Amino acid sequence: MRKFWVLLLVAMFGLGAWAQVRNGAWVDEVVFQVEADAAKGLDMLRTGAIDLYWWDISDPDLVKIIVSEFNYAQLAGTYNELTFNPYGPEFKDGRLNPFSVPAIREAVNWLIDRDYIVSEFYGGLTAVPRYFCICPFFPDYARYADVARALELKYAHNPEKAKAVIFEEMQKLGAELVDGKWYYKGQPVELIFLIRVEDERRQIGDYVATLFEQLGFTVTRLYKTSREASPIWMRGDPAEGQWHVYTGGWITTVVARSEADNFGYFYTPRGSGSPLWQAYKPSPEFDEVCEKLWTSDFTTLEERRELMTKALELSMKDSVRVWVVNQLSYQAYAKNVQVAADLAGGISGAYLWGLTVGFVDPATGERLVGGTLRTASSNLLVDPWNPIDGSNWIFDMTPIRATGDWGVVFDPYTGLYRPQRIERAEVTVQEGLPVGKTLDWVDLKFAPEIKVPEDAWVDWDAANQRFITAAEKYPEGLTALTKCVVYYPEDLWSVPLHDGSTLSLGDFIMYIILRWFDRAKPESPIYDEAAVPEFESFMEYFKGVRIISTDPLVIETYSDLWYLDAEWIVTTWFPYYPQGPGFWHNLAIGIKAEAAKELAFSADKAQTLGVEWMNYIAGPSLEILEKHLDEAIATNYIPYEPTLGQYVTPEEAATRYANLKAWYEKVGHFWVGSGPFYLAEVRPVEKILVLKRFENYPDPATKWLIFAEPRIPTAEVTVPAPVLKIGAPWDFMVEVTFKDQPYPVEDMDFVSCILFDAEGNLVYSGRAEAVKDGLFVFSIPASVTATLPAGPIRLEAAVVSKVVAVPSFASAEFTAVK
Amino acid sequence: MWDNIRRIVSYFSARAVLLLTTVVVAVYLIIIIANMGGYMDKIKESEIMEQVYNTVRGNPALQRLSPSELRAILDKEIEIAKRRAGLDKPFFPWRSLEYLARGITLNFGRAERMISDSGSNQVRLILLERLPHTLLLWGVADLLVFFTSVFLALALSRRYGSLVDRVAVALAPASTPPIWFYGILFILLFASVLRVLPYGGFVDAPPPKTTIGYALSVIKHMVLPVLSVFIAIIFSSLYSWRTFFLIYSSEDYVEMAKAKGLSSRTIERRYILRPTLPPIITSFALMMISLWMGGIVTETVFSWPGLGRMLYEAIQQVDTPVIVGANVIYGYLLAITVLLLDFIYAALDPRVRLGGARRS
């Protein structure tokens, strides 16, 4: 018997130890297939035919099934609004446009009942009311939750007030109400609603149209698809009055750390060259605020807060857009699956999905090692894969991301960057810029001036294939607003690639050349005019790059681009291109093919040349790429030899090409990554793709397990007594938990509390103090309570965690008496 | 003899010219309809503007540019995108005629937006990659339906009024629901409830490694779509062929054959099947060329990678070269079939003469 227990213990420890040392992915294999019908996808999930359905579902009936039967990721990146045509008061043909009056647009906020829309059209599950151009699930809303909540109460549903304002303004415009109908110059006042038909915007459009009919307007409803509506509202001249209201919809696919620019984008002509945007005439005060936020013209976070507060208030007064709902979509997976999901982009939007996805024991919640994860989505293999300018479809980017690795990765719950392949970074910012940091891996400093060293590379000479230094291009000297130094670990050059090669400095140099410079230079054999606009905007802020040390690798970058978060300023130059991982040797054959005008990295150039859009994984491109690989092997080709030749030896070139050839013969494609999965099988017509675990991946599987589920806090407010005496100190307790466990104080950002009177006016606000893990106290001194009004008071607490951007809210009511 | 040849050649040429003209007109109409009479250009331009202007959002690098610099960059991007979409040339008359000329000469070139499954933008490959799957599914299903219904109908027509005949007639309304209805029903039954057959797709994921395993997996995936097509069509097809054969069965020469005491088999073969062959062959030929278009809804319900879905995507994306390519081939197939059927009729039925009888 003792033997048995010993053996059992050995086995248990053995398994535990094995799980500990497991590198890379938790599962052995991920299979992708297509199922466009969400209802069928969920049924497949129910019967175990698949384990994960990673397409967004927002149909309330299906969401009810998801919530009750499966694990799920919630996405909050889609939002709907009413866009108004602001031209007027009269269109070119003399018709009246009531929405040229800001007060009437503002009154629409009171007219519509967002709660009704949420419960009636979204089943109460797939949307929440939205009042502003900032997302209620993103950090900016959390930062200014007190301001936002006060405005939400101010603009809560109040049809009587809306009617009074609209009627008053209509009379000012010279319109007359005759037998319950509005007339202007003897003609009924007609409102043309451009209603999108693809989703709930149809019901929203009908609902708002009916409200206006009830107010005496004559409403014409034009039901249009995106395509049909676009030429009318986006491209048409607002002065012609082809429409008054359009049911707009927008999407954000990653958690936006700052949404300050949204005011400039949505309310001023800065946002777009479209005729509609050019018709926007914000008040001078609002315009100034928008401009400052648009250009980040502020120096402290307090100044930013003031600007944001003003912008929120003035955007409601302007209301060329009335925000209606923030949609919630769901991606479903089996109860025995865990995976990181981005709060805006879901599982498919999370860079870390490949490193976190795995099975769990449903009984114990313990992570299991191995297994095949079967997934489905509504599409796959939509466009050709190439790292430079290949498919950008989320259906393709999801598997692509799992094959790649990064210098830093997106935290799916806060939108901050975290170090993946780099060890640490130092960021220096010019004094006066309101940059802060949240995480320890970044060292933030400020300097009065940041000079760019003379030997920094600032541009690329495509004709001679060499970098241009700062001294050559800017002999008078050059300064930058930020400097970032990234430190890679000592074992960087042993990081394995899927084809058996190891990472080398050549991959970084190639990245610098190819990511921004060479394709935008007319002298380059792979010049692509489609790359020029992006390059030009890059050169507006890029000030230089310098390799400080090659082993260990240290790279210094100078730039005029800055963000509020220092983590965002870090530039790693790790060879992960916009559309996937790429290394100098597999990109070299693509460069050769494009230079020979046989293939092209971008769809634009392929179209111009009349050749195939380069595809590294299937189709006619493979034969051409193979031919160029054979040529590269024969000549031991090193691309950009005058520069890259200094970093890549002929031996390395020979080894790399031999590895690539063997890889192609083994797997039948040229897609090489360094991520936790490699592309094992591609069936383009069948729309099936198989990723297998890359056994040599250097990091332990547990590295990002903290992101396996979002730790969204739950809050509860306790009022000391239902009746509180004015003039006495008040203490309110705010309990913060996650899964009924106290939320650690070190993971909390802040708890903000706001008091509203019976009319919804903000009477007091402040921050709560941490008492211990999971407990905060909001104290109001007697001197303050003495100034508060008597009567019912509502206390709202906004709880913001450092590890999840989504704020949580709790409220309680009490009565204040003298 | 020479007169006959001349008559046939003349008839053939006239028919060919007429059919070609019909194809050209039909294809040009398709081009105009697909492009909404040129309005599609405005839609495409708006979409390009929308895409380009959206890049400004959340891009501080662009936001810190002066309005004129930003405008210059965006305008350049819009111009490149418009040129790439061919919007630098007017739809009428040049682009529309260019589409037509390329289509009619079978020089399909490259798609404007669509990409084949393997990532090629050649219209030829976009069509050819999907063709085998469509032929396999619809070929098997249609041939099964056709031969089953013709032979069963012939048998039923000989047993008019029998119990089997009455059951077959009673089942005819079972063909009222469309194929996709049966598709969803069978998926629910066999995939969701009984879990014995797959929900859809062409092959298991991941696909079996061996050829036999792969073939068996494909067959397994074909069962439900083929069954859906079969059940949705067989009863109405059976009923119409039975009625058709019944009409011929009551002809005087059939009664005469019966009176002569010929066997049922001989009567079926010589007196019923022979004169009914032209319409049967016509039906068969038209069915075969209809394979080219696949079935949009059925292929979607079963996630079958066929031409129907491809064509649907092309229509959604208004990819004119692909739409033209698919329709030109269909048009040519139809025209050639119609032309060939004229000859087949003449060969099978002595009452039919090509070019008409000379009047005396």
Side-chain angles (χ1 to χ4, degrees):
Chain A
M1 190 64 187
R2 184 195 281 170
K3 228 179 199 174
F4 168 79
W5 286 113
V6 170
L7 278 173
L8 186 67
L9 279 171
V10 167
M12 282 170 69
F13 279 115
L15 277 174
W18 184 54
Q20 287 294 314
V21 297
R22 167 104 171 175
N23 278 3
W26 288 89
V27 295
D28 295 331
E29 189 179 61
V30 183
V31 179
F32 293 81
Q33 58 183 309
V34 172
E35 179 45 69
D37 183 341
K40 215 163 99 185
L42 291 186
D43 199 48
M44 290 167 83
L45 204 50
R46 185 184 289 129
T47 59
I50 56 171
D51 306 298
L52 192 156
Y53 188 69
W54 50 276
W55 185 231
D56 312 355
I57 297 173
S58 53
D59 178 328
D61 292 331
L62 295 181
V63 168
K64 279 177 197 155
I65 295 172
I66 293 173
V67 171
S68 62
E69 293 185 32
F70 308 115
N71 281 348
Y72 57 86
Q74 208 180 43
L75 298 73
T78 312
Y79 36 102
N80 297 333
E81 44 93 36
L82 300 169
T83 296
F84 294 103
N85 181 344
Y87 189 85
E90 284 184 0
F91 293 123
K92 276 180 182 170
D93 58 6
R95 283 178 298 130
L96 179 70
N97 179 16
F99 299 116
S100 61
V101 180
I104 292 183
R105 299 194 301 254
E106 183 189 14
V108 177
N109 286 290
W110 292 302
L111 184 65
I112 61 171
D113 185 347
R114 293 173 172 90
D115 291 323
Y116 171 80
I117 291 171
V118 166
S119 63
E120 201 64 22
F121 308 145
Y122 293 91
L125 275 172
T126 56
V128 293
R130 174 164 170 150
Y131 292 75
F132 316 105
C133 62
I134 60 171
C135 175
F137 296 94
F138 289 177
D140 262 337
Y141 185 91
R143 282 185 196 117
Y144 311 117
D146 49 347
V147 181
R149 285 299 295 143
L151 285 169
E152 284 171 4
L153 287 168
K154 181 180 173 186
Y155 286 98
H157 182 50
N158 189 345
E160 289 310 314
K161 186 170 182 178
K163 187 178 174 182
V165 172
I166 292 170
F167 276 36
E168 187 188 334
E169 294 298 326
M170 284 297 285
Q171 280 159 359
K172 278 189 203 165
L173 285 167
E176 288 179 302
L177 192 66
V178 181
D179 296 333
K181 282 270 175 199
W182 284 106
Y183 286 83
Y184 181 70
K185 293 183 179 173
Q187 297 295 318
V189 178
E190 185 200 23
L191 302 180
I192 303 171
F193 273 58
L194 206 51
I195 300 173
R196 287 281 293 276
V197 293
E198 297 95 327
D199 47 39
E200 291 82 0
R201 279 177 288 172
R202 183 184 186 117
Q203 289 101 302
I204 293 174
D206 276 334
Y207 164 72
V208 181
T210 304
L211 292 177
F212 273 96
E213 280 170 343
Q214 288 167 354
L215 290 178
F217 292 91
T218 303
V219 178
T220 301
R221 304 170 197 218
L222 301 179
Y223 297 100
K224 302 278 180 191
T225 60
S226 163
R227 279 220 153 136
E228 292 160 353
S230 182
I232 303 171
W233 78 275
M234 166 64 92
R235 196 169 162 273
D237 181 0
E240 286 177 3
Q242 290 178 294
W243 63 282
H244 291 78
V245 185
Y246 169 67
T247 52
W250 302 86
I251 188 160
T252 305
T253 53
V254 288
V255 175
R257 294 290 302 168
S258 168
E259 294 180 282
D261 62 315
N262 274 359
F263 295 98
Y265 182 79
F266 285 117
Y267 294 91
T268 75
R270 290 175 192 86
S272 166
S274 140
L276 172 63
W277 266 259
Q278 296 311 307
Y280 289 155
K281 289 184 176 58
S283 68
E285 186 189 8
F286 186 34
D287 195 40
E288 191 190 337
V289 169
C290 290
E291 188 181 4
K292 284 187 171 173
L293 290 170
W294 180 258
T295 55
S296 300
D297 182 13
F298 45 84
T299 52
T300 62
L301 287 176
E302 288 67 36
E303 201 182 330
R304 184 180 192 269
R305 183 183 173 83
E306 269 176 39
L307 289 169
M308 287 292 282
T309 304
K310 266 190 186 173
L312 286 167
E313 286 166 8
L314 295 174
S315 67
M316 298 303 285
K317 292 228 169 278
D318 184 292
S319 285
V320 280
R321 287 195 157 79
V322 166
W323 303 90
V324 182
V325 291
N326 203 104
Q327 261 184 272
L328 296 169
S329 306
Y330 294 73
Q331 294 179 346
Y333 46 101
K335 285 280 188 193
N336 65 337
V337 172
Q338 257 186 0
V339 61
D342 188 279
L343 286 175
I347 299 162
S348 41
Y351 280 55
L352 290 170
W353 80 263
L355 284 165
T356 54
V357 73
F359 293 103
V360 291
D361 182 333
T364 63
E366 291 281 314
R367 269 276 169 157
L368 303 174
V369 167
T372 295
L373 184 91
R374 291 150 306 157
T375 76
S377 185
S378 65
N379 211 341
L380 188 66
L381 299 167
V382 187
D383 278 339
W385 286 23
N386 78 63
I388 307 298
D389 212 347
S391 177
N392 189 33
W393 289 91
I394 193 68
F395 312 107
D396 294 333
M397 289 313 294
T398 304
I400 284 174
R401 282 176 187 150
T403 66
D405 207 9
W406 302 270
V408 288
V409 289
F410 252 127
D411 177 332
Y413 305 129
T414 63
L416 280 174
Y417 281 110
R418 288 176 180 260
Q420 164 67 353
R421 201 49 59 212
I422 71 167
E423 210 165 59
R424 64 190 178 90
E426 287 167 4
V427 172
T428 309
V429 178
Q430 186 175 292
E431 279 173 3
L433 292 177
V435 176
K437 68 158 200 160
T438 309
L439 304 171
D440 290 339
W441 64 274
V442 176
D443 185 15
L444 175 63
K445 292 179 211 158
F446 290 87
E449 188 183 48
I450 299 167
K451 283 188 177 164
V452 179
E454 290 186 340
D455 58 343
W457 298 333
V458 296
D459 206 342
W460 173 249
D461 175 354
N464 296 307
Q465 302 198 338
R466 64 172 197 88
F467 285 109
I468 298 167
T469 62
E472 289 171 301
K473 191 166 179 180
Y474 304 102
E476 69 285 3
L478 184 66
T479 58
L481 294 178
T482 69
K483 170 187 164 185
C484 155
V485 188
V486 291
Y487 295 85
Y488 280 91
E490 287 185 356
D491 59 357
L492 179 71
W493 305 131
S494 61
V495 168
L497 312 186
H498 293 164
D499 68 349
S501 308
T502 50
L503 198 64
S504 79
L505 187 56
D507 299 315
F508 285 80
I509 305 296
M510 175 67 115
Y511 183 84
I512 298 172
I513 298 169
L514 201 53
R515 171 66 186 93
W516 295 108
F517 296 104
D518 196 50
R519 294 172 63 238
K521 300 284 182 180
E523 304 81 21
S524 166
I526 59 165
Y527 170 67
D528 186 341
E529 66 173 343
V532 175
E534 191 190 26
F535 171 71
E536 284 176 353
S537 69
F538 167 74
M539 289 303 280
E540 288 292 329
Y541 60 80
F542 174 72
K543 298 295 170 190
V545 59
R546 197 162 66 132
I547 308 269
I548 301 291
S549 152
T550 57
D551 199 5
L553 182 63
V554 181
I555 308 179
E556 197 173 74
T557 308
Y558 295 84
S559 172
D560 274 353
L561 192 62
W562 62 272
Y563 298 89
L564 294 179
D565 298 296
E567 291 87 348
W568 267 67
I569 295 173
V570 173
T571 307
T572 68
W573 303 100
F574 190 85
Y576 186 93
Y577 291 82
Q579 312 314 143
F583 302 94
W584 76 257
H585 62 307
N586 72 332
L587 291 169
I589 60 172
I591 291 169
K592 270 173 69 65
E594 180 161 328
K597 295 187 168 51
E598 292 170 341
L599 296 171
F601 283 114
S602 76
D604 299 78
K605 193 168 175 186
Q607 192 84 11
T608 310
L609 292 179
V611 298
E612 294 289 350
W613 186 2
M614 200 179 303
N615 192 355
Y616 270 69
I617 63 167
S621 298
L622 292 182
E623 209 177 303
I624 299 169
L625 290 172
E626 188 187 14
K627 184 186 84 180
H628 286 283
L629 174 61
D630 290 339
E631 282 175 19
I633 290 172
T635 57
N636 213 22
Y637 169 70
I638 297 175
Y640 308 112
E641 194 156 15
T643 296
L644 207 57
Q646 298 170 40
Y647 302 94
V648 175
T649 62
E651 293 73 34
E652 182 188 334
T655 310
R656 284 271 181 119
Y657 287 132
N659 288 341
L660 188 59
K661 182 77 181 173
W663 176 250
Y664 179 62
E665 281 164 2
K666 183 184 164 197
V667 292
H669 62 74
F670 292 103
W671 193 260
V672 178
S674 59
F677 290 98
Y678 67 88
L679 183 59
E681 197 170 350
V682 186
R683 300 279 184 158
V685 182
E686 294 90 333
K687 299 274 185 203
I688 293 171
L689 194 146
V690 181
L691 299 182
K692 281 191 190 291
R693 174 177 163 260
F694 180 42
E695 289 175 6
N696 298 327
Y697 188 76
D699 297 340
T702 48
K703 184 172 178 181
W704 296 111
L705 211 50
I706 47 164
F707 292 128
E709 59 180 338
R711 290 165 54 213
I712 299 173
T714 305
E716 200 179 327
V717 179
T718 313
V719 178
V723 178
L724 296 178
K725 195 168 167 50
I726 288 170
W730 298 346
D731 285 337
F732 304 94
M733 305 311 286
V734 183
E735 247 186 289
V736 185
T737 55
F738 173 66
K739 287 188 169 175
D740 297 329
Q741 296 299 311
Y743 214 92
V745 170
E746 65 268 21
D747 289 342
M748 284 298 301
D749 196 351
F750 62 86
V751 174
S752 172
C753 294
I754 319 149
L755 297 185
F756 298 100
D757 66 13
E759 276 78 45
N761 300 311
L762 188 152
V763 290
Y764 184 70
S765 67
R767 293 275 169 100
E769 297 293 325
V771 178
K772 58 178 182 176
D773 282 354
L775 192 65
F776 287 73
V777 62
F778 178 50
S779 303
I780 308 179
S783 57
V784 174
T785 64
T787 64
L788 298 180
I793 288 189
R794 192 149 77 106
L795 167 68
E796 286 212 0
V799 175
V800 181
S801 151
K802 280 182 192 165
V803 294
V804 187
V806 181
S808 302
F809 293 95
S811 65
E813 289 184 5
F814 61 93
T815 305
V817 292
K818 287 192 176 169
Chain B
M1 164 75 176
W2 285 112
D3 267 6
N4 271 345
I5 291 173
R6 199 167 36 246
R7 185 167 50 83
I8 290 170
V9 169
S10 148
Y11 173 80
F12 181 84
S13 309
R15 288 285 284 167
V17 169
L18 183 68
L19 287 167
L20 183 65
T21 310
T22 311
V23 170
V24 170
V25 171
V27 169
Y28 195 60
L29 283 175
I30 287 169
I31 291 167
I32 292 170
I33 292 167
N35 285 279
M36 300 160 112
Y39 184 68
M40 203 56 220
D41 282 11
K42 286 186 181 172
I43 290 178
K44 286 179 183 172
E45 274 180 38
S46 306
E47 286 175 346
I48 287 168
M49 283 168 67
E50 215 171 324
Q51 278 168 12
V52 171
Y53 291 138
N54 262 337
T55 59
V56 182
R57 242 180 104 204
N59 186 340
L62 289 177
Q63 287 163 9
R64 283 164 202 169
L65 297 176
S66 71
S68 58
E69 286 169 331
L70 178 63
R71 196 63 195 266
I73 286 179
L74 297 182
D75 285 350
K76 192 186 284 182
E77 276 196 60
I78 290 172
E79 190 198 319
I80 291 169
K82 276 167 71 175
R83 200 173 340 122
R84 188 198 155 205
L87 299 176
D88 51 340
K89 282 188 278 181
F91 179 73
F92 281 121
W94 303 116
R95 276 198 2 257
S96 64
L97 289 176
E98 208 176 296
Y99 288 137
L100 180 68
R102 278 171 36 193
I104 294 299
T105 55
L106 300 179
N107 170 25
F108 300 135
R110 294 180 185 273
E112 287 173 352
R113 297 180 180 214
M114 282 187 78
I115 293 289
S116 81
D117 296 309
S118 65
S120 171
N121 54 9
Q122 293 178 51
V123 174
R124 184 179 58 86
L125 289 182
I126 291 172
L127 299 175
L128 286 181
E129 271 180 9
R130 293 291 183 94
L131 184 60
H133 304 84
T134 284
L135 289 183
L136 183 64
L137 174 62
W138 294 98
V140 169
D142 285 354
L143 289 176
L144 207 60
V145 168
F146 183 81
F147 287 110
T148 310
S149 55
V150 167
F151 288 108
L152 277 181
L154 192 59
L156 284 180
S157 70
R158 304 295 303 140
R159 291 167 185 77
Y160 175 67
S162 67
L163 179 66
V164 182
D165 181 49
R166 290 206 303 270
V167 169
V169 171
L171 282 173
S175 289
T176 314
I179 300 170
W180 58 261
F181 171 82
Y182 284 105
I184 292 171
L185 189 71
F186 291 152
I187 287 171
L188 202 64
L189 191 64
F190 294 104
S192 180
V193 178
L194 300 174
R195 303 185 188 185
V196 290
L197 286 167
Y199 283 83
F202 182 73
V203 68
D204 285 332
K209 300 285 178 207
T210 62
T211 312
I212 292 174
Y214 192 92
L216 288 173
S217 175
V218 172
I219 290 168
K220 186 174 74 178
H221 283 76
M222 281 177 64
V223 171
L224 287 186
V226 168
L227 188 65
S228 307
V229 176
F230 188 80
I231 298 293
I233 299 176
I234 187 69
F235 298 111
S236 65
S237 179
L238 193 60
Y239 182 76
S240 56
W241 282 117
R242 164 198 167 274
T243 311
F244 175 75
F245 287 131
L246 269 179
I247 293 166
Y248 276 83
S249 302
S250 55
E251 289 284 349
D252 289 346
Y253 53 81
V254 179
E255 296 301 327
M256 175 65 81
K258 279 185 203 166
K260 277 163 70 180
L262 295 178
S263 68
S264 288
R265 193 175 168 76
T266 310
I267 293 171
E268 269 180 18
R269 205 175 59 245
R270 285 197 199 153
Y271 291 83
I272 301 176
L273 260 184
R274 179 79 197 272
T276 55
L277 263 182
I280 291 175
I281 288 172
T282 305
S283 173
F284 182 75
L286 292 178
M287 182 202 78
M288 289 308 285
I289 61 165
S290 73
L291 294 182
W292 174 253
M293 288 302 198
I296 292 173
V297 184
T298 309
E299 287 179 4
T300 304
V301 166
F302 287 102
S303 305
W304 189 266
L307 277 170
R309 273 173 74 197
M310 186 279 302
L311 191 58
Y312 178 64
E313 285 162 28
I315 293 166
Q316 275 192 318
Q317 297 186 32
V318 197
D319 200 313
T320 310
V322 180
I323 297 170
V324 169
N327 282 288
V328 162
I329 291 176
Y330 184 72
Y332 277 144
L333 284 174
L334 189 62
I336 292 165
T337 307
V338 168
L339 204 58
L340 287 177
L341 282 174
D342 279 352
F343 287 93
I344 292 167
Y345 288 164
L348 290 173
D349 192 338
R351 292 168 297 180
V352 177
R353 292 195 69 204
L354 286 180
R358 188 178 294 158
R359 289 171 193 274
S360 57

